[in-house]
Amino acid sequence: MSKKFEITNDIRKLRFLADEMTQQQLAEKAGISRQTIIAIEGGKYNPSLELAFRIAHAFNVQIEEVFHYRVIESK
Amino acid sequence: MVYQVTRTIARMLSGAIVLIIYLFQVNNRYQAGLSAAEGFQSLGQLMLLFIGIGIAVTIAVEIVFHILFSIGLAVKESVKNGSCNDKDIEKTINQEMIEDEMAKLIELKSMRVGFITAGIGFVSSLVFLALGYPVFLMVNTVFVSFLIAGIMEGFARIYYYKRGI
């Protein structure tokens, strides 16, 4: 049995809760491009620890509220 | 994503144009049947010329691309809000142009694809030489592989932007 790992995020939900913050606004707050936000939100890119903290800071929440680490068991 | 991908496509097109014109020129010179010494001298001059042309074409394409991209943004903004603000367009372009960690990672990965392509081209040129093909072919294979490497790098970049890393 092998173990796989997955990092998921709640950026879409947090943007909704932050008065429907746009991807552009979040990108500006985190100091990155909009395409990077799109990629992270879509699970196509896992940000570095520093960027993950910057995104969490943009929402004024703890990093664990934005990103989740999951272990997937597979045969 | 639109900005980076479109910019890469523009760069690839300029690379492809330079490659096609170069191959056309080389073919003309080859058909003319220059002697070995003359041929290499003119080939060296041609390669240097095309390096210069490549740089000039890339700069020209970048300028034209940014003008067209700005016009596109202004049209989009006008349709959406009924008016467009120069500062907003400038802000959007600056935002799109940010080179963050994902852009740097994609650049590194796509450059690796380019280096591999150029490496394969170089080894192929050595194989041609070892098999007894003319040096003319070997030199051109090296130069063309560099041009193709640039295009392959573009393909890799688009792939990583679309699929993710």
Side-chain angles (χ1 to χ4, degrees), chain B residues 84-112:
Chain B
C84 69
N85 188 339
D86 286 353
K87 279 186 179 173
D88 284 344
I89 291 166
E90 206 180 316
K91 196 177 152 191
T92 309
I93 290 175
N94 287 339
Q95 182 66 27
E96 295 279 347
M97 280 175 78
I98 286 176
E99 207 166 271
D100 52 22
E101 59 173 50
M102 190 177 101
K104 280 177 187 159
L105 196 59
I106 288 177
E107 192 180 341
L108 275 175
K109 285 197 168 197
S110 54
M111 266 172 72
R112 193 169 62 184

Side-chain angles (χ1 to χ4, degrees), chain B residues 105-125:
Chain B
L105 196 59
I106 288 177
E107 192 180 341
L108 275 175
K109 285 197 168 197
S110 54
M111 266 172 72
R112 193 169 62 184
V113 173
F115 282 131
I116 291 169
T117 311
I120 291 169
F122 182 69
V123 172
S124 306
S125 71

Side-chain angles (χ1 to χ4, degrees), chain B residues 124-138:
Chain B
S124 306
S125 71
L126 292 178
V127 171
F128 287 143
L129 205 60
L131 291 173
Y133 285 98
V135 181
F136 182 84
L137 184 70
M138 183 253 181

Side-chain angles (χ1 to χ4, degrees), chain B residues 42-116:
Chain B
S42 76
L43 198 63
Q45 288 165 351
L46 189 70
M47 283 177 178
L48 283 174
L49 177 72
F50 268 83
I51 289 169
I53 289 172
I55 293 167
V57 168
T58 306
I59 292 168
V61 165
E62 286 277 320
I63 292 167
V64 172
F65 167 74
H66 278 96
I67 292 168
L68 292 176
F69 192 77
S70 303
I71 293 169
L73 276 179
V75 169
K76 221 162 102 179
E77 196 79 9
S78 299
V79 170
K80 205 169 143 189
N81 303 329
S83 64
C84 69
N85 188 339
D86 286 353
K87 279 186 179 173
D88 284 344
I89 291 166
E90 206 180 316
K91 196 177 152 191
T92 309
I93 290 175
N94 287 339
Q95 182 66 27
E96 295 279 347
M97 280 175 78
I98 286 176
E99 207 166 271
D100 52 22
E101 59 173 50
M102 190 177 101
K104 280 177 187 159
L105 196 59
I106 288 177
E107 192 180 341
L108 275 175
K109 285 197 168 197
S110 54
M111 266 172 72
R112 193 169 62 184
V113 173
F115 282 131
I116 291 169

Side-chain angles (χ1 to χ4, degrees), chain A residues 24 27-28 31-36 38-40 44-51 54, chain B residues 1-4 76 91-92 95-98 100-103 105 161-165:
Chain A
Q24 182 78 37
E28 278 171 34
I32 51 174
S33 64
R34 195 173 62 91
Q35 55 258 34
T36 303
I38 294 168
I40 295 169
K44 290 180 177 177
Y45 174 64
N46 290 325
S48 67
L49 193 57
E50 187 199 336
L51 181 53
R54 287 214 310 254
Chain B
M1 200 151 314
V2 173
Y3 172 81
Q4 293 290 355
K76 221 162 102 179
K91 196 177 152 191
T92 309
Q95 182 66 27
E96 295 279 347
M97 280 175 78
I98 286 176
D100 52 22
E101 59 173 50
M102 190 177 101
L105 196 59
Y161 270 113
K162 293 277 179 197
R163 200 197 123 242
I165 40 173

